[in-house]
Amino acid sequence: MSILVKIADLDLSGKTVLIREDYNVPLKDGVVTNDVRIKATLPTINQVLEAGANIILVSHLGRPVAGEFDEAFSLAPVAKCLSNFLDFEVALIKDWTNGIDMSDKQVVLCENVRFEHGEIDNDEELARKMAQLCQVYINDAFATAHRAQASTHGVAKYAAISAAGPLLINELKALTKALREPAKPVIAIVGGAKVSTKLTILETLLEKVDQLIVGGGIVNTFLKAAGYRIGKSLYEPDLVDVANNLMKQAEEQGCQIPLPRDVVCGKEFNENTSAVTKMISDIKDDDMIMDIGPETADHLNKIISSAKTIVWNGPLGVFEFDQFSNGTECLAKAIAESDAYSIAGGGDTIAAISKFNVEDNISYISTGGGAFLEFLEGKKLPAIAILEEAARAWTAMERAREL
Ligand code: AMP
């Protein structure tokens, strides 16, 4: 893993520390309905407090219009939640960009950073103002690490010291273990609706894995490329050649892309349509493939049970409709039962993990949707890149001081 400055490397006593957290939590009627993300940040806050610092917390929530306060996107419910968990008041600061009056060992939360002009555009002036609020900036929000914005990127350029928080470091460690230094055999499962949105991921994974299981709408394009009739199933005609090339490339590299032998079809895309299991050779023109069949699920389970590392993104079928959820459920349970190091991420994947109650048996569930996918694509995440740059500068400074 790359070199980053960590909290333990720093003397934070008497300093003001600005921490970028991810408090983009679901709300209903002004109340936080899932506080997992908030709870996850408490160890970081306590560690920094114990080191003797003041804390300014910064986060976005949803997608408000910059420059307009909107109650629906206020972080007030998060401040309340934090106050309850920490057992002291965490004040919500509305006007914070020009300075915050703070007393010793205090924790404050800045109002939604996306209310500010310049956050999304990574504006230099806003980034500099944020940097001036603190002596140390800590980024602990992996889920926003793929975005170069003022609070995730610009501020790290201008802050005196920029470091990575423990949540961010754990996430990077887990992803690196699964992708950069995996125990073999490595099995990747890429499901979901479209090849087009996962093309780079498929290409990147193909070079790293022993078996690439494709599922969902994606497998329909591969089936078409392999010459099967797929009726009126969702597929992408423009990407049939690409799928063909990926299969050829896989063969050359000794990687397998197993295609389903049986599938579950419906006649319409809705939750009331009847599900019929068919061999792939029996698909009619009015059939829509919406899940893998039981024979295929059994075969995939065997592959999964032989894996030492499993990377999973995307459902194998329309798992939201119960009659087409069996393939994704079998897969989720097979991953949960496997001894392999397993890592999963992405919005629908997390929804499936929760629907089939396997949270506790997946080695690591990534908190990042977009950031997880970009990491899978092999991209450098801008918020991480800037922290690495800051770490190089900090290390050089420390060395010079020691001389
Ligand atoms: P993605 O956002 O690309 O991961 O796609 C997830 C969506 O793909 C889910 O909402 C699934 O219902 C949908 N999906 C999975 N399999 C199929 C399929 N065979 N046909 C149509 N949609 C599918």
Side-chain angles (χ1 to χ4, degrees):
M1 211 178 84
S2 54
I3 294 176
L4 296 166
V5 182
K6 301 179 197 67
I7 293 176
D9 298 329
L10 303 169
D11 173 10
L12 298 180
S13 177
K15 303 228 164 72
T16 298
V17 176
L18 182 112
I19 312 179
R20 175 52 160 106
E21 294 290 13
D22 176 16
Y23 292 139
N24 187 29
V25 293
L27 299 175
K28 191 159 189 272
D29 303 326
V31 176
V32 175
T33 55
N34 183 331
D35 57 19
V36 170
R37 281 188 171 171
I38 301 176
K39 273 193 192 145
T41 67
L42 299 177
T44 308
I45 295 172
N46 284 325
Q47 189 184 354
V48 173
L49 273 180
E50 277 158 25
N54 284 328
I55 301 179
I56 300 172
L57 298 165
V58 179
S59 175
H60 77 285
L61 174 70
R63 293 169 188 261
V65 178
E68 287 176 29
F69 175 78
D70 181 344
E71 189 77 46
F73 297 103
S74 169
L75 282 170
V78 174
K80 208 166 164 190
C81 216
L82 277 168
S83 304
N84 286 339
F85 283 137
L86 291 167
D87 223 8
F88 57 77
E89 201 204 338
V90 174
L92 179 72
I93 314 288
K94 278 200 164 176
D95 297 314
W96 52 270
T97 52
N98 292 315
I100 303 170
D101 280 335
M102 293 188 74
S103 50
D104 260 6
K105 291 197 163 196
Q106 197 191 353
V107 181
V108 299
L109 173 64
C110 298
E111 185 52 287
N112 193 342
V113 69
R114 287 197 184 158
F115 287 154
E116 301 301 323
H117 282 296
E119 164 62 5
I120 301 267
D121 318 326
N122 201 8
D123 175 63
E124 181 179 333
E125 195 187 331
L126 180 63
R128 281 187 187 277
K129 281 185 171 177
M130 279 187 218
Q132 275 162 15
L133 295 174
C134 63
Q135 280 97 42
V136 177
Y137 163 76
I138 294 173
N139 189 343
D140 210 17
F142 177 78
T144 54
H146 59 311
R147 297 201 176 105
Q149 300 184 342
S151 69
T152 62
H153 184 268
V155 57
K157 239 193 293 185
Y158 304 117
I161 298 173
S162 293
L167 288 177
L168 187 102
I169 289 173
N170 282 347
E171 188 97 32
L172 288 175
K173 270 190 191 155
L175 292 172
T176 305
K177 185 170 169 182
L179 286 162
R180 309 255 157 94
E181 306 146 7
K184 287 185 157 266
V186 186
I187 313 286
I189 303 131
V190 181
K194 292 180 171 179
V195 175
S196 50
T197 57
K198 307 263 171 94
L199 185 57
T200 322
I201 295 170
L202 291 167
E203 285 169 347
T204 312
L205 288 175
L206 203 56
E207 288 170 11
K208 299 180 193 289
V209 305
D210 299 288
Q211 303 234 28
L212 178 59
I213 296 172
V214 285
I218 291 177
V219 82
N220 297 341
T221 304
F222 279 79
L223 285 168
K224 185 83 182 168
Y228 291 100
R229 291 171 60 184
I230 59 166
K232 53 178 190 172
S233 306
L234 171 77
Y235 86 107
E236 288 164 290
D238 298 354
L239 289 163
V240 171
D241 286 345
V242 169
N244 222 334
N245 286 338
L246 285 170
M247 288 193 286
K248 277 193 198 133
Q249 198 188 324
E251 213 178 301
E252 283 161 21
Q253 290 174 357
C255 160
Q256 287 165 354
I257 303 184
L259 293 180
R261 276 173 53 79
D262 62 340
V263 288
V264 187
C265 302
K267 297 290 182 202
E268 302 298 333
F269 191 88
N270 66 51
E271 58 187 331
N272 299 318
T273 196
S274 305
V276 181
T277 300
K278 293 189 169 188
M279 296 313 285
I280 192 70
S281 48
D282 296 337
I283 300 297
K284 298 276 179 294
D285 287 348
D286 62 346
D287 280 329
M288 277 176 125
I289 303 171
M290 295 208 261
D291 196 9
I292 52 168
E295 195 181 315
T296 304
D298 260 4
H299 179 61
L300 297 185
N301 284 358
K302 285 194 189 101
I303 295 176
I304 286 165
S305 66
S306 70
K308 288 273 190 299
T309 304
I310 302 169
V311 179
W312 177 26
N313 170 258
L316 290 195
V318 186
F319 75 104
E320 299 93 332
F321 303 161
D322 285 346
Q323 68 276 39
F324 302 110
S325 66
N326 188 56
T328 307
E329 181 169 4
C330 285
L331 172 101
K333 292 194 166 149
I335 297 175
E337 278 161 24
S338 139
D339 295 330
Y341 181 76
S342 54
I343 182 155
D348 282 303
T349 313
I350 292 175
I353 287 171
S354 153
K355 179 167 177 167
F356 305 123
N357 270 320
V358 292
E359 286 99 335
D360 293 344
N361 295 306
I362 308 275
S363 313
Y364 196 84
I365 300 172
S366 175
T367 57
F372 175 71
L373 295 181
E374 291 198 15
F375 197 97
L376 289 194
E377 287 176 6
K379 285 189 186 152
K380 189 100 202 148
L381 307 181
I384 310 296
I386 195 80
L387 289 181
E388 287 170 357
E389 226 172 85
R392 282 192 289 274
W394 181 81
T395 311
M397 223 166 58
E398 287 294 292
R399 278 206 193 114
R401 253 189 1 175
E402 280 163 16
L403 288 176

